[in-house]
Amino acid sequence: MRIDRNKEQYRINERINVPEVRLVGDNITTGVYPTPKALQMAEDMGCDLVEISPNAAPPVCKIIDYQKFLYQQKKRQKEQKAKALKIVVKEIRFGPQTDDHDYNFKLRHAKEFLDEGAKVKAYVFFKGRSILFKEQGEVLLLRFANDLEEYGKVEQMPVLEGKRMIIMISPLSKKGNTAKPTLVKSDKVNLPDHTTE
């Protein structure tokens, strides 16, 4: 059985067990009332007495339709989630001696990803003795970041982590998009790698 957390969050009607409450709302004279009187007022209006601020002294209550109140809260939470910007991370893999054709192919994909608002995690993978070419890998990643200057900004400079040298590039923020990123999802993109290592 699913428990509705919102229903447990607020005390309503007879569950409000304090001697007096502060009533606020549109159709009510704001003030402190004995709880039984506030309950009677809510009943006369065909609504519920809902405790919205239990830690105040006395607790603050509103006379409202409780089901409608819960519905509006859920709707508000949904809207906030929808407004949150979701960030996707796309990975692009290079070899330390990637040729120009492959480089340009991957660069074109990176531009598309950044235009779509995804972050790009580009890395050079060193197999076996190719770790000797780590300077070459760093130059390749810096060239990649430089070629993407108009599409994104470098979030993290090339860093060697084990057998991979990684650089992170995030998209340039578009005007009018003020939402903060909240969700990070990683998508590994398998692009053909015709490197000769």
Side-chain angles (χ1 to χ4, degrees), residues 6 9-10 26 52 62 64-84:
N6 282 335
Q9 191 176 352
Y10 301 97
D26 300 331
I52 56 169
K62 255 187 172 181
I64 47 177
D65 180 343
Y66 188 56
Q67 293 306 318
K68 191 175 176 182
F69 172 71
L70 287 180
Y71 171 76
Q72 286 171 342
Q73 277 216 317
K74 280 183 184 175
K75 193 175 171 186
R76 211 171 297 128
Q77 286 170 352
K78 235 181 190 178
E79 285 169 1
Q80 285 173 345
K81 263 189 185 177
K83 281 181 189 172

mmCIF file of all heavy atoms in Angstrom, residues 6 9-10 26 52 62 64-84:
data_model
loop_
_atom_site.group_PDB
_atom_site.id
_atom_site.type_symbol
_atom_site.label_atom_id
_atom_site.label_comp_id
_atom_site.label_asym_id
_atom_site.label_seq_id
_atom_site.Cartn_x
_atom_site.Cartn_y
_atom_site.Cartn_z
ATOM 1 N N ASN A 6 2.242 13.622 1.834
ATOM 2 C CA ASN A 6 1.608 14.930 2.065
ATOM 3 C C ASN A 6 0.507 14.842 3.105
ATOM 4 O O ASN A 6 0.290 15.757 3.880
ATOM 5 C CB ASN A 6 1.049 15.487 0.759
ATOM 6 C CG ASN A 6 2.132 16.087 -0.110
ATOM 7 O OD1 ASN A 6 3.163 16.506 0.395
ATOM 8 N ND2 ASN A 6 1.904 16.096 -1.396
ATOM 9 N N GLN A 9 1.913 15.028 6.441
ATOM 10 C CA GLN A 9 2.667 16.247 6.694
ATOM 11 C C GLN A 9 1.866 17.279 7.487
ATOM 12 O O GLN A 9 2.435 18.036 8.257
ATOM 13 C CB GLN A 9 3.099 16.829 5.346
ATOM 14 C CG GLN A 9 4.107 17.936 5.460
ATOM 15 C CD GLN A 9 4.574 18.401 4.094
ATOM 16 O OE1 GLN A 9 4.256 17.812 3.076
ATOM 17 N NE2 GLN A 9 5.332 19.473 4.072
ATOM 18 N N TYR A 10 0.566 17.327 7.312
ATOM 19 C CA TYR A 10 -0.262 18.350 7.960
ATOM 20 C C TYR A 10 -1.295 17.716 8.875
ATOM 21 O O TYR A 10 -1.910 16.722 8.538
ATOM 22 C CB TYR A 10 -1.003 19.185 6.893
ATOM 23 C CG TYR A 10 -0.073 19.879 5.946
ATOM 24 C CD1 TYR A 10 0.223 19.318 4.713
ATOM 25 C CD2 TYR A 10 0.516 21.098 6.284
ATOM 26 C CE1 TYR A 10 1.096 19.957 3.836
ATOM 27 C CE2 TYR A 10 1.379 21.737 5.408
ATOM 28 C CZ TYR A 10 1.667 21.163 4.188
ATOM 29 O OH TYR A 10 2.523 21.791 3.323
ATOM 30 N N ASP A 26 -8.114 34.119 3.384
ATOM 31 C CA ASP A 26 -8.796 35.159 2.623
ATOM 32 C C ASP A 26 -10.131 35.581 3.225
ATOM 33 O O ASP A 26 -10.400 36.747 3.391
ATOM 34 C CB ASP A 26 -9.016 34.680 1.174
ATOM 35 C CG ASP A 26 -7.695 34.366 0.485
ATOM 36 O OD1 ASP A 26 -6.678 34.992 0.842
ATOM 37 O OD2 ASP A 26 -7.686 33.494 -0.404
ATOM 38 N N ILE A 52 -0.801 24.764 9.060
ATOM 39 C CA ILE A 52 0.246 24.961 8.047
ATOM 40 C C ILE A 52 1.601 25.329 8.655
ATOM 41 O O ILE A 52 2.628 25.189 7.999
ATOM 42 C CB ILE A 52 -0.170 26.022 7.004
ATOM 43 C CG1 ILE A 52 -0.527 27.341 7.668
ATOM 44 C CG2 ILE A 52 -1.297 25.519 6.134
ATOM 45 C CD1 ILE A 52 -0.683 28.502 6.712
ATOM 46 N N LYS A 62 -5.161 27.349 8.516
ATOM 47 C CA LYS A 62 -5.945 27.947 7.434
ATOM 48 C C LYS A 62 -7.212 27.140 7.276
ATOM 49 O O LYS A 62 -7.209 25.926 7.472
ATOM 50 C CB LYS A 62 -5.157 27.860 6.122
ATOM 51 C CG LYS A 62 -4.551 29.149 5.673
ATOM 52 C CD LYS A 62 -3.943 28.985 4.295
ATOM 53 C CE LYS A 62 -3.515 30.337 3.765
ATOM 54 N NZ LYS A 62 -2.940 30.242 2.435
ATOM 55 N N ILE A 64 -9.391 25.754 4.613
ATOM 56 C CA ILE A 64 -9.336 25.498 3.170
ATOM 57 C C ILE A 64 -9.882 24.110 2.864
ATOM 58 O O ILE A 64 -10.073 23.297 3.775
ATOM 59 C CB ILE A 64 -7.880 25.584 2.642
ATOM 60 C CG1 ILE A 64 -6.932 24.787 3.548
ATOM 61 C CG2 ILE A 64 -7.407 26.979 2.449
ATOM 62 C CD1 ILE A 64 -5.502 24.761 3.077
ATOM 63 N N ASP A 65 -10.099 23.844 1.576
ATOM 64 C CA ASP A 65 -10.461 22.503 1.128
ATOM 65 C C ASP A 65 -9.159 21.710 1.084
ATOM 66 O O ASP A 65 -8.292 21.969 0.247
ATOM 67 C CB ASP A 65 -11.111 22.581 -0.260
ATOM 68 C CG ASP A 65 -11.511 21.209 -0.794
ATOM 69 O OD1 ASP A 65 -11.019 20.183 -0.270
ATOM 70 O OD2 ASP A 65 -12.303 21.170 -1.750
ATOM 71 N N TYR A 66 -9.008 20.753 1.985
ATOM 72 C CA TYR A 66 -7.735 20.041 2.151
ATOM 73 C C TYR A 66 -7.323 19.276 0.895
ATOM 74 O O TYR A 66 -6.156 19.290 0.513
ATOM 75 C CB TYR A 66 -7.814 19.101 3.354
ATOM 76 C CG TYR A 66 -6.492 18.463 3.709
ATOM 77 C CD1 TYR A 66 -5.369 19.247 3.978
ATOM 78 C CD2 TYR A 66 -6.347 17.086 3.779
ATOM 79 C CE1 TYR A 66 -4.155 18.686 4.306
ATOM 80 C CE2 TYR A 66 -5.134 16.514 4.101
ATOM 81 C CZ TYR A 66 -4.044 17.311 4.370
ATOM 82 O OH TYR A 66 -2.839 16.749 4.687
ATOM 83 N N GLN A 67 -8.260 18.606 0.231
ATOM 84 C CA GLN A 67 -7.934 17.841 -0.984
ATOM 85 C C GLN A 67 -7.419 18.773 -2.090
ATOM 86 O O GLN A 67 -6.463 18.448 -2.779
ATOM 87 C CB GLN A 67 -9.160 17.047 -1.478
ATOM 88 C CG GLN A 67 -9.583 15.923 -0.545
ATOM 89 C CD GLN A 67 -8.450 14.951 -0.222
ATOM 90 O OE1 GLN A 67 -7.679 14.563 -1.076
ATOM 91 N NE2 GLN A 67 -8.349 14.583 1.047
ATOM 92 N N LYS A 68 -8.058 19.926 -2.219
ATOM 93 C CA LYS A 68 -7.639 20.908 -3.221
ATOM 94 C C LYS A 68 -6.243 21.437 -2.873
ATOM 95 O O LYS A 68 -5.399 21.620 -3.750
ATOM 96 C CB LYS A 68 -8.659 22.055 -3.246
ATOM 97 C CG LYS A 68 -8.508 22.997 -4.404
ATOM 98 C CD LYS A 68 -9.628 24.025 -4.399
ATOM 99 C CE LYS A 68 -9.464 25.039 -5.497
ATOM 100 N NZ LYS A 68 -10.505 26.059 -5.480
ATOM 101 N N PHE A 69 -6.002 21.661 -1.593
ATOM 102 C CA PHE A 69 -4.716 22.137 -1.094
ATOM 103 C C PHE A 69 -3.607 21.135 -1.449
ATOM 104 O O PHE A 69 -2.551 21.522 -1.954
ATOM 105 C CB PHE A 69 -4.815 22.341 0.424
ATOM 106 C CG PHE A 69 -3.518 22.657 1.110
ATOM 107 C CD1 PHE A 69 -2.890 23.883 0.936
ATOM 108 C CD2 PHE A 69 -2.927 21.734 1.965
ATOM 109 C CE1 PHE A 69 -1.703 24.180 1.586
ATOM 110 C CE2 PHE A 69 -1.736 22.019 2.619
ATOM 111 C CZ PHE A 69 -1.131 23.253 2.427
ATOM 112 N N LEU A 70 -3.859 19.823 -1.215
ATOM 113 C CA LEU A 70 -2.875 18.786 -1.538
ATOM 114 C C LEU A 70 -2.620 18.732 -3.045
ATOM 115 O O LEU A 70 -1.486 18.603 -3.492
ATOM 116 C CB LEU A 70 -3.346 17.403 -1.053
ATOM 117 C CG LEU A 70 -3.303 17.160 0.448
ATOM 118 C CD1 LEU A 70 -3.807 15.758 0.759
ATOM 119 C CD2 LEU A 70 -1.902 17.339 1.006
ATOM 120 N N TYR A 71 -3.701 18.843 -3.809
ATOM 121 C CA TYR A 71 -3.589 18.802 -5.272
ATOM 122 C C TYR A 71 -2.697 19.944 -5.779
ATOM 123 O O TYR A 71 -1.823 19.752 -6.615
ATOM 124 C CB TYR A 71 -4.985 18.880 -5.912
ATOM 125 C CG TYR A 71 -4.954 19.069 -7.399
ATOM 126 C CD1 TYR A 71 -4.638 18.006 -8.248
ATOM 127 C CD2 TYR A 71 -5.221 20.321 -7.961
ATOM 128 C CE1 TYR A 71 -4.593 18.194 -9.627
ATOM 129 C CE2 TYR A 71 -5.171 20.509 -9.329
ATOM 130 C CZ TYR A 71 -4.867 19.447 -10.156
ATOM 131 O OH TYR A 71 -4.809 19.627 -11.510
ATOM 132 N N GLN A 72 -2.945 21.157 -5.240
ATOM 133 C CA GLN A 72 -2.163 22.320 -5.666
ATOM 134 C C GLN A 72 -0.692 22.176 -5.284
ATOM 135 O O GLN A 72 0.200 22.582 -6.024
ATOM 136 C CB GLN A 72 -2.747 23.602 -5.079
ATOM 137 C CG GLN A 72 -4.030 24.013 -5.771
ATOM 138 C CD GLN A 72 -4.745 25.156 -5.065
ATOM 139 O OE1 GLN A 72 -4.491 25.441 -3.891
ATOM 140 N NE2 GLN A 72 -5.653 25.806 -5.781
ATOM 141 N N GLN A 73 -0.429 21.567 -4.114
ATOM 142 C CA GLN A 73 0.957 21.360 -3.695
ATOM 143 C C GLN A 73 1.680 20.392 -4.621
ATOM 144 O O GLN A 73 2.811 20.629 -5.013
ATOM 145 C CB GLN A 73 0.989 20.814 -2.263
ATOM 146 C CG GLN A 73 0.885 21.903 -1.229
ATOM 147 C CD GLN A 73 1.729 21.580 -0.022
ATOM 148 O OE1 GLN A 73 1.736 20.458 0.445
ATOM 149 N NE2 GLN A 73 2.441 22.558 0.463
ATOM 150 N N LYS A 74 0.999 19.280 -4.965
ATOM 151 C CA LYS A 74 1.589 18.305 -5.883
ATOM 152 C C LYS A 74 1.862 18.944 -7.234
ATOM 153 O O LYS A 74 2.902 18.707 -7.843
ATOM 154 C CB LYS A 74 0.657 17.098 -6.068
ATOM 155 C CG LYS A 74 0.727 16.100 -4.944
ATOM 156 C CD LYS A 74 -0.164 14.914 -5.254
ATOM 157 C CE LYS A 74 -0.194 13.945 -4.090
ATOM 158 N NZ LYS A 74 -1.132 12.847 -4.318
ATOM 159 N N LYS A 75 0.934 19.757 -7.698
ATOM 160 C CA LYS A 75 1.069 20.440 -8.986
ATOM 161 C C LYS A 75 2.279 21.372 -8.966
ATOM 162 O O LYS A 75 3.068 21.410 -9.904
ATOM 163 C CB LYS A 75 -0.215 21.227 -9.262
ATOM 164 C CG LYS A 75 -0.347 21.724 -10.682
ATOM 165 C CD LYS A 75 -1.695 22.382 -10.872
ATOM 166 C CE LYS A 75 -1.764 23.091 -12.209
ATOM 167 N NZ LYS A 75 -2.989 23.851 -12.366
ATOM 168 N N ARG A 76 2.436 22.101 -7.853
ATOM 169 C CA ARG A 76 3.562 23.028 -7.704
ATOM 170 C C ARG A 76 4.895 22.270 -7.715
ATOM 171 O O ARG A 76 5.862 22.692 -8.351
ATOM 172 C CB ARG A 76 3.419 23.818 -6.395
ATOM 173 C CG ARG A 76 4.000 25.203 -6.495
ATOM 174 C CD ARG A 76 3.674 26.049 -5.279
ATOM 175 N NE ARG A 76 2.250 26.271 -5.120
ATOM 176 C CZ ARG A 76 1.560 26.038 -4.010
ATOM 177 N NH1 ARG A 76 2.163 25.563 -2.941
ATOM 178 N NH2 ARG A 76 0.274 26.265 -3.946
ATOM 179 N N GLN A 77 4.943 21.130 -7.017
ATOM 180 C CA GLN A 77 6.169 20.322 -6.977
ATOM 181 C C GLN A 77 6.508 19.797 -8.372
ATOM 182 O O GLN A 77 7.666 19.770 -8.769
ATOM 183 C CB GLN A 77 6.008 19.147 -6.006
ATOM 184 C CG GLN A 77 6.046 19.566 -4.556
ATOM 185 C CD GLN A 77 5.635 18.437 -3.616
ATOM 186 O OE1 GLN A 77 5.178 17.379 -4.040
ATOM 187 N NE2 GLN A 77 5.787 18.668 -2.323
ATOM 188 N N LYS A 78 5.490 19.381 -9.119
ATOM 189 C CA LYS A 78 5.692 18.881 -10.484
ATOM 190 C C LYS A 78 6.267 19.972 -11.372
ATOM 191 O O LYS A 78 7.176 19.734 -12.166
ATOM 192 C CB LYS A 78 4.347 18.410 -11.052
ATOM 193 C CG LYS A 78 4.339 17.008 -11.543
ATOM 194 C CD LYS A 78 2.973 16.672 -12.105
ATOM 195 C CE LYS A 78 2.879 15.191 -12.387
ATOM 196 N NZ LYS A 78 1.555 14.811 -12.881
ATOM 197 N N GLU A 79 5.723 21.181 -11.239
ATOM 198 C CA GLU A 79 6.191 22.309 -12.046
ATOM 199 C C GLU A 79 7.644 22.643 -11.727
ATOM 200 O O GLU A 79 8.425 22.942 -12.615
ATOM 201 C CB GLU A 79 5.307 23.543 -11.823
ATOM 202 C CG GLU A 79 3.965 23.447 -12.521
ATOM 203 C CD GLU A 79 2.985 24.534 -12.102
ATOM 204 O OE1 GLU A 79 3.347 25.398 -11.259
ATOM 205 O OE2 GLU A 79 1.841 24.500 -12.601
ATOM 206 N N GLN A 80 7.998 22.586 -10.431
ATOM 207 C CA GLN A 80 9.378 22.870 -10.036
ATOM 208 C C GLN A 80 10.329 21.834 -10.624
ATOM 209 O O GLN A 80 11.422 22.165 -11.064
ATOM 210 C CB GLN A 80 9.507 22.908 -8.514
ATOM 211 C CG GLN A 80 8.939 24.174 -7.909
ATOM 212 C CD GLN A 80 8.917 24.148 -6.395
ATOM 213 O OE1 GLN A 80 9.068 23.105 -5.763
ATOM 214 N NE2 GLN A 80 8.710 25.308 -5.791
ATOM 215 N N LYS A 81 9.916 20.571 -10.630
ATOM 216 C CA LYS A 81 10.742 19.510 -11.211
ATOM 217 C C LYS A 81 10.925 19.727 -12.700
ATOM 218 O O LYS A 81 12.003 19.544 -13.239
ATOM 219 C CB LYS A 81 10.089 18.133 -10.991
ATOM 220 C CG LYS A 81 10.623 17.379 -9.808
ATOM 221 C CD LYS A 81 10.067 15.974 -9.821
ATOM 222 C CE LYS A 81 10.490 15.231 -8.577
ATOM 223 N NZ LYS A 81 9.910 13.896 -8.518
ATOM 224 N N ALA A 82 9.836 20.117 -13.365
ATOM 225 C CA ALA A 82 9.886 20.328 -14.817
ATOM 226 C C ALA A 82 10.790 21.495 -15.177
ATOM 227 O O ALA A 82 11.457 21.486 -16.213
ATOM 228 C CB ALA A 82 8.486 20.560 -15.351
ATOM 229 N N LYS A 83 10.830 22.504 -14.306
ATOM 230 C CA LYS A 83 11.659 23.681 -14.576
ATOM 231 C C LYS A 83 13.141 23.385 -14.394
ATOM 232 O O LYS A 83 13.983 24.074 -14.952
ATOM 233 C CB LYS A 83 11.262 24.834 -13.646
ATOM 234 C CG LYS A 83 10.020 25.550 -14.097
ATOM 235 C CD LYS A 83 9.692 26.684 -13.157
ATOM 236 C CE LYS A 83 8.340 27.281 -13.460
ATOM 237 N NZ LYS A 83 7.931 28.253 -12.447
ATOM 238 N N ALA A 84 13.443 22.387 -13.579
ATOM 239 C CA ALA A 84 14.842 22.052 -13.322
ATOM 240 C C ALA A 84 15.480 21.548 -14.613
ATOM 241 O O ALA A 84 14.933 20.714 -15.310
ATOM 242 C CB ALA A 84 14.939 20.996 -12.226
#
